[in-house]
Amino acid sequence: QVQLVESGGGLVQAGGSLRLSCAASGRPISSYAMGWFRQVPGKDREFVAAITFRGDIQYYADSVKGRFFISRDNAKRTVYLQMNSLKPEDTAVYYCGGSSLWNKVLQRECDYWGQGTQVTVSS
């Protein structure tokens, strides 16, 4: 089992930056692809970014490409999401998730999920 805990969310003005962290406990995440997702009330959870277990490949949703950057430190069992040039439409609860299969992360079918952290971007 893997437990995931997100942190780093908060209130920020448009154009600002935040860095989210996802700390893992239990089994090491070094063999898991990891991703970040977001959800607003009344809508499905949306894919944001994913990273392979080695960290050598990253993949982003078009809506965040060039503004958000995913990274990981397997020694620290932590995955990060650096969010720059934030927009009000980035407001959501952000979740991290993981799976041993890359495609499951891309398809929002993670085996493990965190509880989420709220990000609010004011205009």
Side-chain angles (χ1 to χ4, degrees):
Q1 288 293 333
V2 175
Q3 292 79 44
L4 303 173
V5 179
E6 302 93 337
S7 62
L11 174 64
V12 63
Q13 287 189 329
S17 298
L18 282 175
R19 189 174 83 153
L20 305 183
S21 298
C22 173
S25 59
R27 299 178 67 177
I29 61 169
S30 54
S31 60
Y32 291 93
M34 300 295 295
W36 284 96
F37 309 81
R38 64 188 183 187
Q39 189 169 22
V40 297
K43 293 191 175 181
D44 290 339
R45 193 167 294 186
E46 174 189 15
F47 168 80
V48 174
I51 189 167
T52 53
F53 70 93
R54 286 196 202 92
D56 56 341
I57 297 174
Q58 301 86 40
Y59 186 76
Y60 298 93
D62 287 343
S63 58
V64 305
K65 203 172 292 183
R67 300 188 298 122
F68 290 13
F69 300 94
I70 188 171
S71 61
R72 66 190 295 162
D73 185 333
N74 285 338
K76 294 183 177 179
R77 300 189 182 189
T78 303
V79 182
Y80 305 96
L81 185 68
Q82 177 66 43
M83 304 188 296
N84 302 324
S85 302
L86 282 161
K87 304 175 181 179
E89 52 263 42
D90 294 319
T91 296
V93 177
Y94 283 71
Y95 299 88
C96 69
S99 174
S100 58
L101 298 177
W102 174 248
N103 283 346
K104 289 185 72 174
V105 175
L106 298 184
Q107 294 165 10
R108 299 168 291 154
E109 296 175 354
C110 295
D111 298 315
Y112 304 104
W113 291 99
Q115 294 300 306
T117 184
Q118 176 72 46
V119 171
T120 303
V121 184
S122 63
S123 57

